[in-house]
Amino acid sequence: MLDNCEHVLAACTELAETLLAASPGLKLLATSREGLGLDGERLFAVRSLGVPRREEWHDAHAVEASDAVRLFVDRARAAEGRFALTDAIGPVVAEICRRLDGIPLAIELAAARVKVLSVDQIRSKLDD
């Protein structure tokens, strides 16, 4: 697994070529905003997750049905086992997911902060 390759694309490409040459049966998974340009490389686009529409933010079922919110809740519980999506924080979590454009990595990074910040604090820090 090579993660976030776009920042060091040439080095990741060289490493992947070396590893694949040394072990022909090896399979690599690389995440990047651009391909490595290797023979046999297959590209898969990861799309943004669906977020609740603003008019649904006060409907707990609609908020919970959103893929982005489900990811946030799952990762928040992994970071803080007592995390629960309540009617009070549902709209805040929905707004966080919308402001992060449903991008899975951004949502995971935000949700991990529930260990040290409230969802209101996370929302307020999105502009930093």
Side-chain angles (χ1 to χ4, degrees), residues 33-120:
R33 291 185 181 144
E34 50 190 294
L36 300 179
L38 299 172
D39 288 337
E41 179 177 27
R42 286 185 276 164
L43 302 177
F44 298 94
V46 177
R47 299 187 195 330
S48 294
L49 299 174
V51 299
R53 295 186 322 257
R54 189 169 280 169
E55 58 270 12
E56 297 174 330
W57 287 4
H58 292 288
D59 177 351
H61 294 294
V63 168
E64 265 188 300
S66 156
D67 290 335
V69 171
R70 284 199 312 268
L71 176 62
F72 186 99
V73 170
D74 181 64
R75 296 309 187 263
R77 282 190 184 133
E80 174 52 59
R82 295 174 297 169
F83 182 84
L85 187 68
T86 64
D87 289 340
I89 67 168
V92 179
V93 172
E95 182 181 353
I96 290 169
C97 292
R98 183 196 59 79
R99 289 182 58 194
L100 295 174
D101 296 323
I103 299 171
L105 179 59
I107 293 168
E108 289 195 34
L109 294 173
R113 300 213 180 249
V114 300
K115 190 178 344 181
V116 294
L117 300 171
S118 71
V119 291
D120 285 318

Side-chain angles (χ1 to χ4, degrees), residues 11 20-21 60 102:
L20 291 167

Side-chain angles (χ1 to χ4, degrees), residues 1-8 12 29-33 105:
M1 171 80 184
L2 303 173
D3 190 27
N4 216 15
C5 295
E6 64 270 3
H7 301 293
V8 286
C12 286
L29 175 63
T31 65
S32 180
R33 291 185 181 144
L105 179 59

